[in-house]
C-alpha cells in the first residue's frame, strides 16, 4: 500500500519550469543572432543586385545604357524610317539564348543558384531566431557550408562576367573598343560590386559565424522530455484508479 501511494504521488512532485506566455525561445546564441542578421543582409544584397540591371554602365546614341547578366536598361530599335531610336525602359532579354554571350549565360545560371542558396539559408536562420530547436549545431555548420558554396557560385559569376565584354552588343555600348577584361568607355556599376561584396561576406564572415551560432541544448531537452512523459503517465494512472 505504501508503494502504491508513492507511485500515485501528485505529478507536481517533478516540477517543470513554466514558460512565460508569449515568449519565444531560440537555440541560437548571441553570435547566432548576429549570424542570422548578416545572412539576411548578404542574401538580400546579392539577390537584389542580381535582379537589377546595374552591373555595367555605358551609353549608346547619346542615351545612358546599363546591363546586368540577363537584363538591360535602354535598348535600340528600328524606327519608321529604318533609323535606330532608343527605347528608354528596363527589361530582360526575350529568351535565354538572347543573352549577348555564353559567358553571361553561364554567369546568369551560377549567380542565380548562389542567390537561391543564400536566401534559403537566410530564411532558415531568421526562423530559428524565434523557433525552438529548429536547427541543431551540426545543421548550423552545414548551413554555413551551404553559404560558402553560395558565395563561391556568386563569385564565380562575377569572374565570368568580364568574359562577355567582347560581344557585339557590349562593344556598341562601350565605344567599339571593349574586349574581355577591357571596358572601353564603359564602367562597372554598383550592382556588380554589391554582388561581389555580398558573396565575400557570406563566404568569409557568415561561414565562420555559423560554427558558433547554435548552442548545444540536447541534454536539457532530453531531461524535459523524460519529465513530461513521466508526469503524463502519472496523471493518466491516477485518473484510472479514481474511476
Amino acid at each position: 500500500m505504501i508503494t502504491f501511494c508513492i507511485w500515485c504521488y501528485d505529478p507536481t512532485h517533478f516540477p517543470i519550469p513554466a514558460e512565460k506566455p508569449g515568449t519565444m525561445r531560440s537555440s541560437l546564441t548571441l553570435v547566432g543572432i548576429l549570424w542570422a542578421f548578416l545572412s539576411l543582409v548578404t542574401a538580400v544584397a546579392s539577390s537584389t543586385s542580381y535582379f537589377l540591371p546595374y552591373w555595367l554602365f555605358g551609353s549608346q546614341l547619346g542615351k545612358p545604357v546599363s546591363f546586368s547578366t540577363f537584363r538591360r536598361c535602354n535598348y535600340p530599335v528600328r524606327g519608321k524610317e529604318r533609323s535606330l531610336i532608343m527605347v528608354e525602359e528596363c527589361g530582360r532579354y526575350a529568351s535565354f539564348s538572347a543573352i549577348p554571350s555564353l559567358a553571361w549565360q553561364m554567369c546568369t545560371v551560377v549567380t542565380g543558384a548562389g542567390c537561391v542558396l543564400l536566401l534559403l539559408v537566410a530564411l532558415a536562420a531568421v526562423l530559428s531566431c524565434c523557433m525552438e530547436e529548429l536547427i541543431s549545431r551540426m545543421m548550423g555548420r552545414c548551413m554555413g557550408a551551404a553559404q560558402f558554396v553560395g558565395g563561391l557560385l556568386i563569385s564565380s559569376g562575377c569572374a565570368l562576367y568580364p568574359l562577355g565584354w567582347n560581344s557585339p552588343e557590349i562593344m556598341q555600348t562601350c565605344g567599339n573598343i571593349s574586349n574581355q577584361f577591357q571596358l572601353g568607355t564603359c564602367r562597372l556599376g554598383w550592382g556588380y560590386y554589391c554582388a561581389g561584396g555580398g558573396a565575400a561576406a557570406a563566404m568569409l564572415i557568415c561561414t565562420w559565424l555559423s560554427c558558433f551560432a547554435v548552442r548545444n541544448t540536447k541534454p536539457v531537452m532530453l531531461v524535459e522530455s523524460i519529465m513530461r512523459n513521466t508526469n503524463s503517465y502519472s496523471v493518466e494512472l491516477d485518473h484510472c484508479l479514481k474511476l
Side-chain angles (χ1 to χ4, degrees), residues 200-227:
M203 292 175 62
L204 301 178
I205 302 178
C206 294
T207 301
W208 177 67
L209 290 178
S210 67
C211 298
F212 315 98
V214 185
R215 62 170 60 95
N216 191 3
T217 57
K218 289 183 180 179
V220 176
M221 294 299 297
L222 179 61
V223 171
E224 289 186 358
S225 177
I226 294 174
M227 294 177 68

Side-chain angles (χ1 to χ4, degrees), residues 61-139:
L61 300 179
K63 300 291 184 180
V65 179
S66 61
F67 298 89
S68 64
T69 59
F70 64 98
R71 299 186 68 198
R72 67 173 289 173
C73 286
N74 303 344
Y75 52 90
V77 296
R78 292 286 181 181
K80 295 181 178 180
E81 299 179 358
R82 311 191 71 178
S83 59
L84 289 176
I85 58 174
M86 292 295 293
V87 177
E88 299 185 32
E89 65 180 18
C90 299
R92 62 178 180 83
Y93 290 100
S95 63
F96 184 77
S97 59
I99 296 176
S101 66
L102 177 61
W104 282 21
Q105 293 174 358
M106 296 172 60
C107 179
T108 300
V109 174
V110 297
T111 305
C115 290
V116 169
L117 270 178
L118 293 187
L119 285 172
L120 290 177
V121 173
L123 177 62
V126 171
L127 289 178
S128 64
C129 290
C130 53
M131 296 181 65
E132 184 180 3
E133 291 299 312
L134 180 64
I135 60 175
S136 63
R137 178 173 292 184
M138 181 59 67
M139 186 180 296

Side-chain angles (χ1 to χ4, degrees), residues 118-200:
L118 293 187
L119 285 172
L120 290 177
V121 173
L123 177 62
V126 171
L127 289 178
S128 64
C129 290
C130 53
M131 296 181 65
E132 184 180 3
E133 291 299 312
L134 180 64
I135 60 175
S136 63
R137 178 173 292 184
M138 181 59 67
M139 186 180 296
R141 294 177 179 178
C142 292
M143 291 168 65
Q147 285 179 311
F148 183 86
V149 174
L152 184 62
L153 288 173
I154 297 174
S155 300
S156 301
C158 292
L160 288 170
Y161 192 68
L163 295 176
W165 294 348
N166 61 346
S167 63
E169 185 172 339
I170 304 304
M171 293 181 66
Q172 293 172 4
T173 305
C174 301
N176 291 317
I177 55 175
S178 64
N179 205 339
Q180 292 182 348
F181 297 97
Q182 296 180 5
L183 274 177
T185 59
C186 294
R187 61 183 176 87
L188 286 174
W190 61 265
Y192 181 84
Y193 295 112
C194 188

